[in-house]
Structure formats: structure tokens, C-alpha cells
Amino acid sequence: MKVLKFGGTSVGSATRIKALLDIIQPQERQIVVLSAVAGTTNALVEISQAFGSGDKDKAAELIGLLYDKYNVFISELFATDEGYQNGRGLIDYHFNLIESFSSHLFTPTEEKIILAQGELISTTLFHFHLTELGIRSKLLPALDFMKIDEDNEPKIDFIRGQLNELLLQSSDHNFFITQGYICRNAFGEIDNLRRGGSDYTASLIGAAIGADEVQIWTDIDGMHNNDPRVVKGTAPIANLSFDEAAELAYFGAKILHPQSVFPAQRYNVPVRILNTMEPKAHGTLISKAGATKGIVRSIAAKDGITAIRIHSSRMLLAYGFLRRVFEVFERYKTPIDMITTSEVAISLTIDETKYLPEIEKELLDFGSVEIDRDQTIICVVGDFGPDTHGYASRVLDAVKHIPVRMISYGGSNYNISLLLQTENKVEALRSLHNRLF
Ligand code: ADP
Ligand code: ASP
Ligand code: MG
């Protein structure tokens, strides 16, 4: 069985939804995961912000604008009056629900309910569209099987059990549709897998059912060797290993959700990134065997990084010091991305700053603490194993005109990371691209 995920642009208009049938083979057994229509989740975030700040008029205005868009959308999507009435009933139901929050106390729980509406609408619209065309499909409610625990980690055994049960109950169907991004949390409330989370949904489903392949259909012909939004002349990469793809996704390649490679890697399910606008293009195949020896594969950048330097003479010749520092971050459930050490200081980076004041206070017990915000990690991925040479100097040479705050090399065989100020990111990405490709 295959899992096919279509992102926001791929379902971004009635024309695009209709074009999905040029790609999907309805008679094949498959699960299709859909994102919300492009722009919807951003609009729902804005509506939630308006509710959160008590600005009901602004919320009503934004809801009205989004509703008008969907009204046009359904009038273009459905050919029959019955189809249109179904679509109309659907959007009226979801928009009434969104509007109803104007009379609620607005907390993060309500916000997550609002954010879930985009995927609930897109999947049902697609299902109604197929029904209108006489194609049988079955909606699998993601809220019935996609679950995360107290640490926001997916519960893969639960997902597998529930999903297999649902598939068994509908064994007379081949074509299943489900919502990306949305899930339930440990309290049973509606939650989500963070922005861009539909990729993660697809990978989790692929892992849970042992799919033959997960296909991520998007608006570009695969993973490129640099960020195409910033650098001209980037090129798609035909094959990547799970490790390489995981590093790129984690360190900022927006095309994949940061965690989306891990489930597929763990259960060895190949992931193909494909272009809905150009379905014949090869795209990128991510698999166990995808690495290519002896070359730089791709460059990615992750913004919003904060660097912390702890300077302590107590570190000199002491053991257990690093453990005590790491325990502070563990207590506040704050992941560390990069780390470098000297004899008397340690520098590390985080991207979650919710508990930074508390962390800083505890770190001050060890010595002096310096904090630098607005940093970017640039991650160069390639084959940098122990028998290769020269790559570190080429990378550093490419950024010799830019101040670099941290360098990490040798943590894995396929990653050289640099930390620099975000204002220098574009220049660093371009210069690295010119020197390395
Ligand atoms: P979707 O809505 O299909 O999930 P996204 O917008 O999340 O699509 O991801 C696709 C976009 O990611 C591309 O349009 C491109 O601008 C951006 N992108 C950033 N880095 C890369 C990269 N290394 N390779 C390809 N695309 C990238
Ligand atoms: N709709 C969600 C978002 O915009 C999830 C996704 O598109 O993957 O973040
Ligand atoms: Mg995405």
C-alpha cells in the first residue's frame, strides 16, 4: 500500500484538486493525506490571534474573507447542484464552528480546534468531489488514530492499532483519504504536529502500516541542493539517504517537516518527493541506499536560533560538568541542537526559548552566561566520513568574509554546521553554493 501526501499548493484551488486525479490511480489501494488549502492555516492562525487578543471585529472580518474564498472554491469545484450544496453545507458547518469561538474564553485549546479546520475541510471537499465523479473513497478521521503523548511524541503503536482497525472495518474500500497535521494529544484534545506537519502524518502512517512507499507531492521537483527561495540555480537531488534527508529537514529545508524523516527511516519506508505541477519529473528518492560517496549533497539553513555560552573555570579538568549543564536543559524540556566546547567554556544552541529565563538563572550557578539571539544554523550535508578530506576547509573558505560564531564538524559523517548571525544567512548560502557546487 502507498501513502500519498499532497501539500497546500497541490490542493490550493479547484483546478488543482481536479488535477489530483491525473496523479492518483483511484483503483489502487492507498491512503491519501491532504494538507489544508494553501493559505488557510496562516489565515486560521491570524483569526486565532485576533480572538486571543479580544479583537472580535478583526476576527469576524478575517473569517468573512476566508469564507468568501471557500465560497468561490466550491462553486468552481462542483459541477452539480447537489455537489455544490454538499460543499456549501460543509463550509457553513466549519465556519459556524470557527465563529462560535467569539463567545468563548480563548485558550490554546480553542486555538488548536480552529487550526484543525483547514485539513478537515480540504479532505471532505476532496471526498465530495470524488463522490460527485462516482469514485468511491473513504474518509479516515485522523483524530481517531493520530495521537501524541505528554512530550508531543507520536504514539506509533496506538496509531498502528487504530489505523489497522479502521482499515479492516472498511476492507471493501481501496481509496482512503485522511487529514495531515492534526492529531489528539495525551488529554484527548485536538492538537497538531506543528506547522508543515502533514509530511510527518504521511511518514507516521507509512511507518505504522509498513507502506511500500510514502510520496510527498509538493510544488517543486524534489529536494534541492540549496534553498531555492534564497539562492538562484539550485538543482534537485535524485537520491538521498535517510540520514542525509533527516539532517536537511531538521536543519531547515522547508520542503520537509523537521521530524518527518525519522518514522520512515525507522521502519525503512522509502520516501519520494514529487512535483504535482510536473508529475513525470524524477524528484527525490529518500531511502537506505541513497547516499553518494565523496560529494557535498545539499545546504540548508535554520533560523530562530539562540546561542548560549557558559564560561566557568570550574570546568577545567572537572568531570560531570557537561552532565550538570545538560540536566538544566532536560529539566526544561529544551532540546540542544549544536554544541562546541573549550577547556573553560561551552557554547550550545537552542531554538525553543520558552524557558530561557529559567535556564539562564540556573546556568548562572556555573559561571558567566552570554546569550546571542537571531542566529542561524547553516548545515552542509554530504559524505564527510573519516577517509575524506578537504571539505571543512572549502566550507570555511566560502564564509571567510562572514563572522562565524560556532562550527560543528565530526558529530556525524554527513554534516558540517556553522552558526552565524541571521543577517548574514543569505550571503553565506549564496557563497557556499558558488564554492561547493
Ligand atoms: P507543501 O505545501 O507542499 O508542504 P512547502 O511550502 O511546505 O510545500 O515546501 C515546498 C517549498 O519548500 C518549496 O516551494 C521551496 O520554496 C521550499 N524549499 C526550501 N528549501 C528547499 C529545498 N532544499 N529543496 C526544495 N524546496 C525547498
Ligand atoms: N496546513 C498545515 C500548515 O500549513 C500543515 C501542512 O501544510 O503540512 O502548516
Ligand atoms: Mg510543507
Side-chain angles (χ1 to χ4, degrees):
M1 193 163 179
K2 284 187 183 154
V3 179
L4 283 71
K5 175 255 168 177
F6 293 91
T9 324
S10 307
V11 294
S13 64
T15 314
R16 293 252 57 92
I17 291 210
K18 290 177 192 169
L20 293 187
L21 285 175
D22 298 338
I23 292 169
I24 297 169
Q25 307 293 324
Q27 65 288 356
E28 274 182 21
R29 197 164 160 79
Q30 63 199 309
I31 300 181
V32 170
V33 177
L34 298 187
S35 293
V37 170
T40 299
T41 312
N42 285 346
L44 295 173
V45 168
E46 281 179 40
I47 291 166
S48 301
Q49 280 164 351
F51 276 137
S53 61
D55 194 343
K56 290 183 186 173
D57 292 342
K58 175 89 188 287
E61 187 193 327
L62 293 168
I63 294 169
L65 286 172
L66 191 61
Y67 180 78
D68 291 345
K69 272 204 207 166
Y70 273 95
N71 239 328
V72 175
F73 201 102
I74 56 166
S75 63
E76 289 171 358
L77 182 63
F78 295 104
T80 62
D81 189 47
E82 192 190 346
Y84 175 78
Q85 292 307 334
N86 284 339
R88 186 67 190 266
L90 177 85
I91 63 166
D92 283 353
Y93 170 81
H94 288 279
F95 278 85
N96 281 338
L97 180 82
I98 298 170
E99 263 165 11
S100 73
F101 289 106
S102 64
S103 51
H104 280 60
L105 181 68
F106 201 77
T107 71
T109 308
E110 281 73 31
E111 174 172 10
K112 286 169 183 170
I113 298 173
I114 290 193
L115 295 186
Q117 303 310 309
E119 272 71 10
L120 291 167
I121 295 175
S122 65
T123 45
T124 314
L125 282 180
F126 184 48
H127 172 65
F128 285 171
H129 169 60
L130 294 174
T131 308
E132 187 179 59
L133 296 177
I135 299 171
R136 280 187 89 218
S137 66
K138 174 87 187 163
L139 273 176
L140 296 175
L143 298 177
D144 289 354
F145 65 87
M146 195 51 74
K147 197 166 170 78
I148 52 174
D149 65 16
E150 305 73 26
D151 295 324
N152 295 327
E153 289 298 324
K155 297 181 69 138
I156 191 86
D157 291 333
F158 178 91
I159 297 167
R160 179 182 300 111
Q162 294 295 111
L163 193 51
N164 280 329
E165 180 64 35
L166 287 171
L167 291 173
L168 207 66
Q169 282 168 12
S170 305
S171 52
D172 57 330
H173 278 86
N174 271 330
F175 187 163
F176 299 95
I177 304 166
T178 193
Q179 299 82 27
Y181 177 59
I182 63 173
C183 63
R184 286 198 189 271
N185 61 26
F187 309 104
E189 299 160 347
I190 294 181
D191 211 316
N192 60 63
L193 301 173
R194 310 287 160 93
R195 296 304 306 273
S198 301
D199 305 322
Y200 201 17
T201 302
S203 177
L204 285 165
I205 292 178
I209 62 166
D212 302 323
E213 182 172 293
V214 170
Q215 297 180 351
I216 305 288
W217 287 89
T218 182
D219 57 4
I220 189 165
D221 54 351
M223 175 77 83
H224 277 218
N225 58 2
N226 206 331
D227 190 333
R229 295 166 302 176
V230 176
V231 177
K232 283 202 194 93
T234 62
I237 311 167
N239 294 283
L240 279 172
S241 69
F242 285 120
D243 284 323
E244 291 169 337
E247 297 270 1
L248 290 168
Y250 189 78
F251 286 110
K254 189 201 172 222
I255 189 165
L256 286 178
H257 178 280
Q259 282 148 294
S260 60
V261 180
F262 301 121
Q265 176 168 31
R266 170 133 188 250
Y267 292 88
N268 196 19
V269 180
V271 177
R272 224 178 258 282
I273 307 178
L274 294 156
N275 188 353
T276 26
M277 324 292 164
E278 216 186 307
K280 295 258 180 305
H282 176 282
T284 299
L285 174 63
I286 303 167
S287 67
K288 215 171 171 175
T292 302
K293 284 276 156 210
I295 53 165
V296 177
R297 311 300 309 279
S298 182
I299 305 167
K302 183 173 173 178
D303 295 333
I305 303 292
T306 298
I308 305 171
R309 176 178 292 137
I310 306 127
H311 193 279
S312 169
S313 52
R314 272 188 283 153
M315 193 173 158
L316 199 65
L317 299 176
Y319 53 85
F321 181 81
L322 287 179
R323 175 180 53 76
R324 291 201 298 280
V325 169
F326 289 151
E327 274 171 359
V328 174
F329 290 86
E330 192 180 346
R331 269 198 292 288
Y332 293 101
K333 292 191 173 173
T334 300
I336 296 169
D337 283 330
M338 260 177 96
I339 161 162
T340 55
T341 62
S342 83
E343 198 48 51
V344 288
I346 157 172
S347 269
L348 44 80
T349 70
I350 57 173
D351 70 347
E352 171 61 71
T353 51
K354 192 169 168 198
Y355 296 109
L356 187 56
E358 289 87 345
I359 290 173
E360 183 180 5
K361 192 160 169 276
E362 292 203 24
L363 292 177
L364 282 167
D365 289 345
F366 300 119
S368 64
V369 178
E370 258 172 74
I371 295 182
D372 292 317
R373 289 165 212 272
D374 299 324
Q375 306 285 305
T376 291
I377 294 177
I378 302 230
C379 166
V380 181
V381 167
D383 170 29
F384 310 130
D387 47 356
T388 63
H389 55 86
Y391 289 112
S393 72
R394 280 172 65 196
V395 168
L396 291 180
D397 192 50
V399 294
K400 65 180 178 217
H401 56 304
I402 296 169
V404 174
R405 168 81 164 73
M406 280 167 73
I407 301 168
S408 168
Y409 175 60
S412 76
N413 283 345
Y414 20 76
N415 175 336
I416 302 174
S417 297
L418 309 171
L419 185 76
L420 35 86
Q421 278 169 13
T422 302
E423 62 185 30
N424 294 324
K425 173 182 87 167
V426 171
E427 172 55 24
L429 286 178
R430 288 179 183 160
S431 179
L432 283 162
H433 198 77
N434 290 339
R435 295 298 184 94
L436 299 178
F437 298 118

